Amino acid sequence: MAGPIEQFEIKPILQLGEIAGQQISITNSTVYMFVTVGIIGLFMLLSTRRSALVPGRWQSASELLFEFVAKTVRENAGDEGMRFFPLVFSLFTFILVANLLGMLPYAFTVTSHLSVTFALAMMVFLTVTIYGVMRNGFGFLRLFLPSGVPPYIAVFIVPIEVISYLSRPVSHSVRLFAVMLAGHITLKVFASFVVGLGGLGTLGILGAAMPFLMVLALTALELLMSVIQAYVFTMLTCMYLNDALHPGH
């Protein structure tokens, strides 16, 4: 049985060429990201092609998803935050589907790679920073100095707030990456116990009962974490967007 780390290996599928000595290729990660986007697009097409006053199952599912994300945006970024709804909705659905897709046997989990989660987090960071500066000008700097802080304390608070702000892409990306990575490794380890013990005969099969139950429990937990982590990433995105909209709060 393959080791627990092998499932995260990025493998080239199609070589496209070379730029500045670097190979450009389509990998298994690329394919799964395209599949993720394809699933989301297909779902939205199926659920909205026949809009009705009394929604069917597909339309109800898409409306519930829409309302859930919209509620998250309004609660964390206010009504003004709805201008970023397309971005937030896209992030939530992409991460959610990618996480769930990675739960399938022999599937590749793109969100278990820091390069992917960091790219998503960096996109949010740049959006917040650029929009915050364009909207508020120098007023955006109020984000680093909470109102009511005495000047003698501000000398210490401002550097801390700046460092905290610059580290957002790291903390934002590592949280999702670490949870998905650790969960899949743990699941793979216990699954290997089941396979290993099952090959030892009757006593081995009996001994594999406990690891098998752990695999079932961990699978359920991973499914739950797939949804929770998509929500957490989205909620933090909304909170950061709120800083761009209201830097003085």
Side-chain angles (χ1 to χ4, degrees):
M1 189 174 181
I5 303 298
E6 189 174 336
Q7 61 182 310
F8 306 111
E9 183 181 353
I10 296 180
K11 301 176 182 179
I13 296 175
L14 178 64
Q15 297 289 345
L16 299 179
E18 185 176 310
I19 298 179
Q22 296 295 321
Q23 290 290 336
I24 307 298
S25 60
I26 294 177
T27 66
N28 52 347
S29 178
T30 309
V31 171
Y32 273 91
M33 283 191 275
F34 275 118
V35 171
T36 299
V37 174
I39 291 174
I40 297 169
L42 182 61
F43 169 74
M44 297 307 298
L45 285 174
L46 289 175
S47 61
T48 58
R49 62 175 181 171
R50 295 179 180 177
S51 299
L53 186 60
V54 179
R57 293 179 181 178
W58 288 95
Q59 185 178 338
S60 295
S62 64
E63 288 180 359
L64 285 172
L65 185 62
F66 181 95
E67 288 300 326
F68 175 76
V69 177
K71 181 181 178 183
T72 303
V73 174
R74 292 191 182 98
E75 287 180 349
N76 294 281
D79 290 333
E80 285 186 89
M82 285 300 292
R83 68 185 61 186
F84 294 102
F85 177 82
L87 170 64
V88 178
F89 185 83
S90 299
L91 284 171
F92 177 76
T93 53
F94 179 83
I95 295 172
L96 177 63
V97 174
N99 288 350
L100 294 176
L101 191 61
M103 292 298 299
L104 298 176
Y106 305 107
F108 184 85
T109 311
V110 297
T111 49
S112 66
H113 279 265
L114 186 58
S115 58
V116 175
T117 59
F118 184 77
L120 296 176
M122 200 65 194
M123 178 175 63
V124 173
F125 177 79
L126 292 176
T127 300
V128 170
T129 303
I130 294 172
Y131 182 81
V133 171
M134 290 177 60
R135 174 186 170 92
N136 304 285
F138 287 107
F140 185 65
L141 297 177
R142 296 198 306 270
L143 183 64
F144 308 116
L145 182 61
S147 57
V149 176
Y152 61 89
I153 298 181
V155 176
F156 302 99
I157 294 295
V158 171
I160 293 174
E161 289 293 331
V162 170
I163 294 172
S164 175
Y165 183 81
L166 294 177
S167 65
R168 280 182 178 182
V170 177
S171 60
H172 202 186
S173 59
V174 168
R175 183 181 291 103
L176 173 59
F177 148 76
V179 171
M180 300 311 298
L181 180 74
H184 280 66
I185 289 177
T186 306
L187 191 59
K188 185 76 171 183
V189 168
F190 277 95
S192 66
F193 288 162
V194 175
V195 174
L197 290 172
L200 299 178
T202 305
L203 290 178
I205 293 175
L206 293 175
M210 185 59 69
F212 179 72
L213 292 176
M214 284 298 299
V215 169
L216 293 179
L218 286 171
T219 300
L221 180 61
E222 274 297 282
L223 286 171
L224 179 62
M225 292 307 297
S226 295
V227 178
I228 290 176
Q229 286 304 309
Y231 172 70
V232 170
F233 194 97
T234 303
M235 182 181 67
L236 289 173
T237 297
C238 294
M239 293 174 65
Y240 296 157
L241 290 171
N242 184 59
D243 289 338
L245 293 166
H246 312 102
H249 293 184

